[in-house]
């Protein structure tokens, strides 16, 4: 399977795609202004104090900006420019900030829509300028696709090892490796990690469910009875939060419709690996990858939503894989709305189920941790490959040096975003050296 993209990945949006992006950015900014949903999982817990009037809009905006800026400029923009595919860090993290920043309800959608316009009309110009430079760092950044796609395949192995020990982890690793080799041999046009990831995730879920069922049998055998206090403050908070979200169900259904339509248009990828798969037209594989990510985020999104009264802009992210596979945007709008309706209405039930399945809940934590670990290594390795492609040893020195400098300063740019940001800064520096006649480009 080829893991390289066409050198000229661009942003030639149709009018319908442009209007969808602008309208969706306006809607997400409006929803963020009302503190009903944000995309950044780290911001959501802070919204409870804002909703209950214990903190100000400006203070909450500062938190949102501090937790999101690195991902916007270090991951969202570089990933979009290198793949030609939009992503949630570029679209929804800025609308989180703009929505919270807006002092008036009517201003939030205007600011969000303006950001959507900047994205759809500005990216193509930036993309063309970058490709015309002597050192084409955007084409070099496409080197990131191979390590991201293949190392991401291993996240179930890491999660199993962390939760169930080395023996199960080793078994999962051997099985995944065998399946990758088998897929490359028998189905060369299929993403090699697709089958391996499916089996790995199923193993993790099976082990977690089996452990919880054993625990419940042992508890029953000992005569232990689960009791929930009627005046449990957390149960009361969860109930109030779920009721708040249900009151705005029509608005969430419109949001679900919009996100699903954007995914169906195939100009948007929900994750790092997914963006490269969408760029290559492998929509079924992209749907599979984003579907597996859902298992790592449902418990986090459900519990933070129930605790804070604010949902996720993409919900449980199920609308991503569903959207990729649907045949037209009209069906995507209907299905996306229905999916969000079911998610919001089922939040309380999901919270209760997760309370009874601690191992499954732990699995989601390990899955998210494993996804972060694999992507951090893949993005760093891919960024160094991009540095070598655009500047050889000097490129590696500059990009690697910027990454290490960021580490030494205490990571002002989050680790996952630091390496792609270093490639862009390094590419600009290499172009300056070329214009000073101090450097000869490796390519371009």
């Amino acid at each position: 399977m080829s893991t390289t993209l066409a050198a000229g990945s661009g942003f030639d949006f149709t009018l319908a795609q442009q209007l969808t992006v602008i309208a969706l950015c306006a809607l997400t900014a409006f929803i963020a202004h009302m503190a009903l949903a944000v995309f950044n999982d780290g911001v959501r817990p802070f919204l409870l104090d804002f909703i209950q009037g214990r903190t100000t809009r400006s203070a909450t905006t500062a938190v949102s900006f501090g937790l999101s800026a690195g991902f916007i400029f270090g991951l969202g923009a570089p990933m979009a420019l290198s793949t030609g595919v939009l992503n949630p860090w570029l679209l929804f993290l800025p609308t989180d900030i703009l929505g919270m920043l807006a002092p008036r309800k009517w201003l939030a959608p205007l600011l969000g829509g303006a950001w959507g316009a900047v994205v759809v009309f500005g990216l193509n110009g930036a993309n063309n300028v970058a490709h015309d430079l002597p050192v084409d760092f955007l084409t070099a950044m496409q080197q990131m696709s191979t390590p991201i796609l293949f190392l991401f395949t291993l996240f179930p192995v890491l999660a199993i090892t962390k939760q169930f020990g080395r023996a199960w982890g080793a078994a999962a690793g051997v099985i995944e490796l065998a399946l990758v080799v088998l897929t490359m041999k028998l189905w060369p046009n299929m993403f090699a990690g697709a089958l391996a990831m499916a089996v790995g995730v199923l193993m993790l879920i099976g082990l977690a469910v089996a452990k919880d069922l054993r625990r419940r049998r042992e508890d029953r055998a000992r005569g232990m009875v689960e009791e929930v206090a009627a005046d449990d403050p957390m149960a009361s908070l969860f109930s109030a939060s779920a009721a708040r979200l249900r009151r705005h169900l029509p608005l969430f259904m419109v949001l679900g419709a919009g996100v699903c339509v954007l995914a169906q248009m195939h100009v948007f990828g929900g994750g790092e690996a997914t963006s490269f798969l969408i760029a290559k037209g492998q929509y079924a594989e992209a749907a599979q990858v984003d579907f597996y990510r859902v298992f790592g985020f449902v418990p986090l999104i459900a519990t933070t939503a129930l605790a804070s009264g604010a949902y996720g802009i993409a919900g449980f992210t199920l609308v991503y894989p569903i959207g990729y596979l649907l045949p037209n945007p009209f069906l995507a709008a209907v299905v996306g709305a229905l999916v969000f309706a079911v998610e919001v209405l089922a939040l309380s039930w999901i919270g209760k189920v997760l309370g009874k399945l601690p191992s499954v809940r732990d699995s989601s934590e390990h899955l998210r941790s494993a996804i972060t670990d694999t992507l951090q290594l893949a993005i760093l390795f891919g960024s160094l490959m991009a540095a070598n492609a655009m500047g050889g040893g000097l490129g590696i020195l500059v990009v690697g040096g910027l990454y290490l400098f960021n580490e030494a300063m205490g990571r002002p740019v989050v680790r996952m975003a630091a390496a792609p940001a270093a490639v862009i800064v390094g590419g600009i520096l290499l172009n300056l050296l070329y214009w000073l006649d101090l450097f000869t480009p490796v390519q371009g």
Side-chain angles (χ1 to χ4, degrees):
M1 181 196 73
S2 171
T3 55
T4 56
L5 311 179
S9 296
F11 299 91
D12 297 321
F13 299 112
T14 65
L15 178 61
Q17 291 166 347
Q18 291 171 343
L19 292 175
T20 299
V21 171
I22 292 170
L24 186 57
C25 286
L27 176 63
T28 53
F30 178 72
I31 289 173
H33 173 86
M34 296 177 68
L36 285 172
V38 290
F39 181 76
N40 193 322
D41 295 320
V43 173
R44 202 171 301 117
F46 291 93
L47 291 183
L48 181 62
D49 284 343
F50 174 72
I51 292 167
Q52 297 183 347
R54 292 194 296 268
T55 189
T56 63
R57 180 173 293 279
S58 58
T60 310
T61 302
V63 169
S64 182
F65 181 82
L67 293 175
S68 302
F71 286 102
I72 297 168
F73 300 109
L75 187 62
M79 195 63 64
L81 288 169
S82 62
T83 61
V85 175
L86 300 176
N87 58 67
W89 306 285
L90 183 64
L91 292 184
F92 302 145
L93 290 181
T95 58
D96 281 0
I97 299 167
L98 293 170
M100 290 304 305
L101 177 67
R104 297 286 183 270
K105 189 179 291 188
W106 59 266
L107 184 58
L110 292 181
L111 293 175
W115 174 252
V118 168
V119 170
V120 295
F121 296 117
L123 277 181
N124 206 37
N127 185 70
N128 291 337
V129 168
H131 281 307
D132 289 338
L133 292 172
V135 180
D136 184 357
F137 53 86
L138 293 187
T139 298
M141 286 184 73
Q142 294 173 8
Q143 297 285 330
M144 296 169 63
S145 65
T146 300
I148 286 176
L149 289 172
F150 280 88
L151 286 175
F152 186 73
T153 302
L154 292 174
F155 78 87
V157 176
L158 268 65
I160 290 171
T161 305
K162 289 179 178 181
Q163 187 171 7
F164 297 104
R166 288 175 290 183
W168 277 113
V174 170
I175 291 171
E176 283 212 5
L177 178 60
L179 290 172
V180 168
V181 172
L182 185 67
T183 303
M184 294 175 75
K185 183 70 175 176
L186 298 181
W187 305 288
N189 294 324
M190 177 180 171
F191 170 46
L195 184 59
M197 276 191 288
V199 172
V201 171
L202 288 173
M203 280 185 66
L204 177 65
I205 294 171
L207 289 168
V209 170
K211 183 176 180 180
D212 281 333
L213 291 176
R214 282 198 305 272
R215 180 185 63 83
R216 289 175 69 83
R217 282 197 299 269
E218 291 168 359
D219 288 347
R220 280 197 298 269
R222 291 197 298 266
M224 295 176 64
V225 180
E226 296 179 4
E227 294 182 1
V228 178
D231 58 348
D232 181 358
M234 287 306 294
S236 175
L237 174 63
F238 279 18
S239 177
S241 296
R244 177 178 189 262
L245 296 176
R246 286 196 299 270
R247 283 197 301 272
H248 295 90
L249 185 62
L251 190 58
F252 282 116
M253 292 178 70
V254 174
L255 176 62
V259 176
C260 199
V261 167
L262 185 64
Q264 191 280 329
M265 289 179 166
H266 300 148
V267 296
F268 173 90
E272 300 86 348
T274 316
S275 293
F276 286 106
L277 290 169
I278 292 290
K280 293 196 291 289
Q282 295 179 310
Y283 308 129
E285 287 86 346
Q288 189 176 352
V289 168
D290 271 355
F291 179 72
Y292 299 144
R293 289 174 69 112
V294 170
F295 294 104
F297 287 89
V298 166
L300 171 69
I301 293 167
T303 52
T304 54
L306 289 169
S308 68
Y311 199 39
I313 286 294
F316 293 147
T317 70
L318 270 172
V319 286
Y320 293 164
I322 291 171
Y324 303 149
L325 298 176
L326 290 176
N328 63 70
F330 303 104
L331 183 59
V334 173
V335 173
L338 291 175
V339 168
F340 258 50
V342 171
E343 289 181 7
V344 172
L345 293 173
L347 267 177
S348 293
W349 177 80
I350 291 171
K352 292 175 183 176
V353 170
L354 290 173
K356 298 176 181 178
L357 297 172
S359 296
V360 173
R361 204 167 57 242
D362 290 345
S363 292
S364 75
E365 298 283 346
H366 290 298
L367 272 177
R368 288 200 311 279
S369 173
I371 287 171
T372 299
D373 290 345
T374 53
L375 286 175
Q376 281 180 349
L377 176 62
I379 290 172
L380 174 59
F381 188 66
S383 297
L384 291 175
M385 289 173 64
N388 182 63
M390 69 183 183
L394 181 60
I396 292 175
L397 172 66
V398 171
V399 172
L402 288 170
Y403 179 86
L404 292 172
F405 185 57
N406 183 70
E407 289 285 307
M409 291 195 303
R411 299 192 201 112
V413 179
V414 291
R415 181 176 280 168
M416 192 177 291
V423 173
I424 290 182
V425 174
I428 294 170
L429 289 175
L430 290 175
N431 277 293
L432 291 174
L433 291 174
Y434 168 81
W435 287 321
L436 293 171
D437 200 24
L438 296 173
F439 170 71
T440 301
V442 172
Q443 65 178 27

